[in-house]
Amino acid sequence: MKTYDSFDLAFQDLINGQIDGVVADNPLALGYVGKNADKIRITGPVFTSENYGVAVCNKKADLAAKIDQGIDAVKADGTLDKLIQKWIVTGQ
């Protein structure tokens, strides 16, 4: 096992054949595979059901509300779906 300071370095070593695999968040892995499908692939099923979130200081209720409004807006107008299509491969 080898650790890296950043995922991009790990994926670069994988692409270059210097390591055999990388364990990473599924959206991150799908993004790298999407850009390098001729060199790497996803194998096996997703083995966790963790979700992503945004954390803010509990004293910043106004900031949390603005973030919630922003997320709702990009969902409603289709921007989120466009970003997913652009940056995340939806299949293996």
Side-chain angles (χ1 to χ4, degrees), residues 16-79:
N16 291 334
Q18 296 173 338
I19 58 174
D20 296 323
V22 173
V23 176
D25 294 334
N26 197 47
L28 181 69
L30 290 171
Y32 277 97
V33 168
K35 293 178 185 173
N36 300 282
D38 59 326
K39 298 178 181 104
I40 59 176
R41 67 182 180 92
I42 301 289
T43 186
V46 174
F47 53 87
T48 183
S49 61
E50 291 182 30
N51 294 306
Y52 295 89
V54 178
V56 297
C57 176
N58 61 3
K59 296 178 181 178
K60 301 283 186 175
D62 58 325
L63 177 59
K66 288 178 184 178
I67 292 170
D68 288 343
Q69 290 170 356
I71 292 170
D72 289 344
V74 297
K75 283 181 177 178
D77 73 6
T79 300

